[in-house]
């Protein structure tokens, strides 16, 4: 057992001060658009690692490098990075037009009165298939604005419904970087985490859909939302979704998605072969920063663990949260605080993973449960913070179309994240845990 050393947590504090502090200055003082996302997160982590290396002078620098290398010598880290890159390649292959086809196909089937409800369902489906809430919001928010303008529905309700559906898929998707990070960090099979998570997320989604329908049915509307779409482009998303649910290896699922997407995009003349390869490279490149963050966090946490920082954090958690249920709540609060500080749910999970793994052992929490808690609570907080990428992208898309909308207009309409929190607490404190072999 390593000694209890609260000072070993200083690198995390340095990272939070740099990242959160600069983000606040850029966003709210200097009024830079997407200010939080102009802060170079990799540089912030490098500064934190530098602080960690300056600590504990009893340990030579070469020995510290050895400790960091041991932190990286984990198959889960390599697996996580490879899945990140493969998922990026898949998204690069299928492109924006395929997801638009999913959205407009579903919207074409229903009358205008149910358009907002369908926006929520479409966002759930697209984000689950694509594995990205930000990509889903970027894609569907302009459609939501068009629905609001054509039908007379409340714009914040339309945008809030899209954001809620996007977070549903972010939480559950097999190719979401949050799912990948949580499952690999906790040593959990993705299908097990999905089953654990689905029981929490689905009731919240159903109640959200009911609330949207109640609000929609109070308004007398007519007409329909229509746009051209290509039905065959939906196939790669459907294959990925089905393959993930039935438990096929995630690499096989992604390869099937990439191959089917490439064949369809080439056969329908949507893209040239050279451009297809370029798009795959761009999609994978979009995951480079996330992959680098996973590497840097693993190195930093290895030093913090070596110095006794995790023991100090676990000691504090033990004093506040008692028993297995309390431990689960403490784990959720831990990742929630990380998310508030970083405004990035994937980074929050990656940072919380090693601490949560030790908490899971301490409190007897199964890997599937701890992975589910990390992903769910991070999505709850990420889905409502006004400076998160999801909110900023939604507002930016709406404002570019000439509409005026603020985060505080949308937040009261974010039904799903709040209900997901309620559902999570019920499953921790009320619903008996299912026994599995």
């Amino acid at each position: 057992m390593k000694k209890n050393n609260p000072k070993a947590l200083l690198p995390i504090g340095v990272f939070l001060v740099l990242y959160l502090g600069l983000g606040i200055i850029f966003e709210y003082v200097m009024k830079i658009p997407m200010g939080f996302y102009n802060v170079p997160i990799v540089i912030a982590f490098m500064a934190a690692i530098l602080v960690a290396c300056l600590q504990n002078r009893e340990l030579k620098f070469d020995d510290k490098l050895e400790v960091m290398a041991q932190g990286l010598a984990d198959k889960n880290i390599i697996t996580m990075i490879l899945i990140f890159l493969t998922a990026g390649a898949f998204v690069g292959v299928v492109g924006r037009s395929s997801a638009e086809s999913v959205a407009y196909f579903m919207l074409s089937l229903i009358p205008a009165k149910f358009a907002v409800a369908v926006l929520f369902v479409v966002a759930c489906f697209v984000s689950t298939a694509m594995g990205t809430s930000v990509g889903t919001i970027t894609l569907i928010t302009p459609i939501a604005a068009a629905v609001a303008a054509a039908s007379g529905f409340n714009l914040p309700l339309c945008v809030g419904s899209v954001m809620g559906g996007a977070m549903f898929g972010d939480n559950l998707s097999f190719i979401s970087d949050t799912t990948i990070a949580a499952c690999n960090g906790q040593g959990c099979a993705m299908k097990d985490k999905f089953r654990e998570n689905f029981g929490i997320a689905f009731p919240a989604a159903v109640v959200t859909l009911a609330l949207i329908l109640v609000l929609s049915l109070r308004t007398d509307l007519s007409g329909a939302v229509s746009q051209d779409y290509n039905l065959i482009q939906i196939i790669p998303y459907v294959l990925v979704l089905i393959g993930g649910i039935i438990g096929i290896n995630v690499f096989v699922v992604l390869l099937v998605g990439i191959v089917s997407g490439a064949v369809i995009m080439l056969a329908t003349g949507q893209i040239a072969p050279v451009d297809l390869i370029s798009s795959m490279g761009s999609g994978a490149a979009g995951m480079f920063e996330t992959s680098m963050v996973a590497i840097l966090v693993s190195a930093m946490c290895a030093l913090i663990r070596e110095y006794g920082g995790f023991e100090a954090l676990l000691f504090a958690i033990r004093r506040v949260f008692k028993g297995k249920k309390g431990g689960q709540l403490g784990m959720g609060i831990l990742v929630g605080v990380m998310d508030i500080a970083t405004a990035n749910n994937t980074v929050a999970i990656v940072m919380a993973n090693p601490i949560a793994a030790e908490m899971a052992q301490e409190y007897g929490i199964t890997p599937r449960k701890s992975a589910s808690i990390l992903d769910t609570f991070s999505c709850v907080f990420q889905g409502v913070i006004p400076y998160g990428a999801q909110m900023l992208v939604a507002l930016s898309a709406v404002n570019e179309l000439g509409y005026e909308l603020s985060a505080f207009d949308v937040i009261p309409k974010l039904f799903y994240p709040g209900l997901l929190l309620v559902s999570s607490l019920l499953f921790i404190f009320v619903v008996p845990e299912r026994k599995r072999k």
Side-chain angles (χ1 to χ4, degrees):
M1 293 292 290
K2 295 181 174 62
K3 63 180 181 179
N4 180 339
N5 181 16
K7 292 181 181 179
L9 297 170
L10 179 61
I12 295 178
V14 169
F15 167 77
L16 296 180
V17 168
L18 282 175
Y19 190 74
L20 187 60
L22 288 175
I24 291 173
I25 292 171
F26 287 174
E27 185 78 30
Y28 298 107
V29 178
M30 300 176 67
K31 305 296 183 182
I32 298 174
M34 300 286 287
F36 269 89
Y37 298 91
N38 284 304
V39 180
I41 191 169
V42 170
I43 300 301
F45 272 119
M46 289 179 65
I49 289 177
L50 174 61
V51 171
C53 288
L54 293 175
Q55 290 180 298
N56 192 0
R57 296 184 179 180
E58 296 177 0
L59 201 63
K60 295 179 180 179
F61 181 68
D62 283 347
D63 294 332
K64 291 173 183 176
L65 291 175
E66 182 68 28
V67 170
M68 287 190 280
Q70 290 173 1
L72 297 176
D74 186 329
K75 73 171 186 179
N76 289 327
I77 300 297
I78 302 300
T79 303
M80 188 189 309
I81 292 171
L82 290 176
I83 295 175
F84 281 152
L85 297 175
T86 312
F90 168 71
V91 174
V93 166
V94 294
R96 179 188 180 95
S97 59
S98 296
E100 284 180 340
S101 293
V102 174
Y104 283 120
F105 168 67
M106 297 185 73
L107 280 168
S108 70
L109 302 178
I110 51 90
K113 182 169 288 191
F114 302 103
V116 181
V118 173
L119 279 174
F120 175 72
V121 174
V122 167
C124 288
F125 179 85
V126 171
S127 59
T128 303
M130 290 179 67
T132 165
S133 57
V134 173
T136 300
I137 291 168
T138 302
L139 170 72
I140 302 182
T141 297
I143 301 173
V147 168
S151 64
F153 273 117
N154 179 269
L155 180 58
L157 175 63
C158 292
V159 174
S161 298
V162 171
M163 289 183 62
M167 296 314 298
F168 173 88
D170 195 320
N171 185 204
L172 286 178
S173 175
F174 286 87
I175 58 172
S176 167
D177 45 6
T178 58
T179 294
I180 296 166
C183 290
N184 282 279
Q186 299 303 304
C188 164
M190 289 190 183
K191 63 180 180 179
D192 291 336
K193 182 263 185 187
F194 177 86
R195 291 166 182 164
E196 189 78 33
N197 231 159
F198 188 78
I200 300 170
F202 185 70
V206 169
V207 177
T208 299
L209 184 60
L211 282 174
I212 293 171
L213 285 171
V214 168
L215 293 174
S216 298
L217 293 174
R218 290 180 179 177
T219 308
D220 186 19
L221 300 168
S222 60
V225 178
S226 63
Q227 185 78 17
D228 292 336
Y229 58 85
N230 191 334
L231 196 57
I232 195 173
Q233 292 182 356
I234 299 175
I235 293 174
Y237 286 128
V238 174
L239 291 176
V240 167
L241 189 60
I242 293 173
I245 291 173
I246 64 178
I248 299 175
N249 180 279
V250 65
F251 287 111
V252 175
V253 170
L254 287 171
L255 287 174
V256 168
I258 290 170
V259 172
S260 62
V263 170
I264 289 170
M265 296 300 284
L266 290 172
T268 57
Q270 296 293 318
I271 195 170
V274 174
D275 294 331
L276 178 68
I277 296 172
S278 177
S279 296
M280 289 179 63
S282 298
M287 291 291 192
F288 283 175
E289 183 176 77
T290 302
S291 301
M292 185 56 66
V293 165
I295 291 170
L296 294 175
V297 168
S298 299
M300 181 181 75
C301 287
L303 288 176
I304 293 173
R305 181 188 289 109
E306 178 69 21
Y307 299 165
F310 285 1
E311 283 300 316
L313 193 54
L314 289 170
F315 176 76
I317 291 173
R318 288 188 204 106
R319 294 187 62 181
V320 177
F321 300 100
K322 305 296 183 182
K324 187 174 183 178
K325 295 181 185 295
Q328 293 176 54
L329 178 60
M331 193 180 292
I333 291 174
L334 170 69
V335 75
V337 170
M338 297 283 191
D339 186 75
I340 290 171
T342 61
N344 186 313
N345 46 345
T346 304
V347 174
I349 291 171
V350 172
M351 290 181 67
N353 257 333
I355 303 170
E358 296 200 21
M359 289 177 66
Q361 277 194 323
E362 173 75 18
Y363 289 96
I365 302 169
T366 60
R368 67 177 185 273
K369 175 67 78 173
S370 60
S372 174
I373 289 171
L374 289 178
D375 201 344
T376 301
F377 275 83
S378 70
C379 284
V380 166
F381 286 90
Q382 185 68 23
V384 297
I385 53 176
Y387 51 87
Q390 288 76 5
M391 180 68 77
L392 294 175
V393 165
L395 296 178
S396 176
V398 170
N399 292 335
E400 284 179 10
L401 294 171
Y403 300 95
E404 292 293 331
L405 195 64
S406 75
F408 299 102
D409 295 324
V410 179
I411 287 173
K413 306 298 183 182
L414 292 172
F415 306 134
Y416 178 73
L419 289 168
L420 182 61
L421 176 61
V422 172
S423 183
S424 299
L425 294 175
L426 287 174
F427 268 77
I428 289 174
F429 292 104
V430 178
V431 178
E433 187 171 354
R434 290 173 293 178
K435 301 294 184 182
R436 296 181 186 268
K437 292 182 181 181

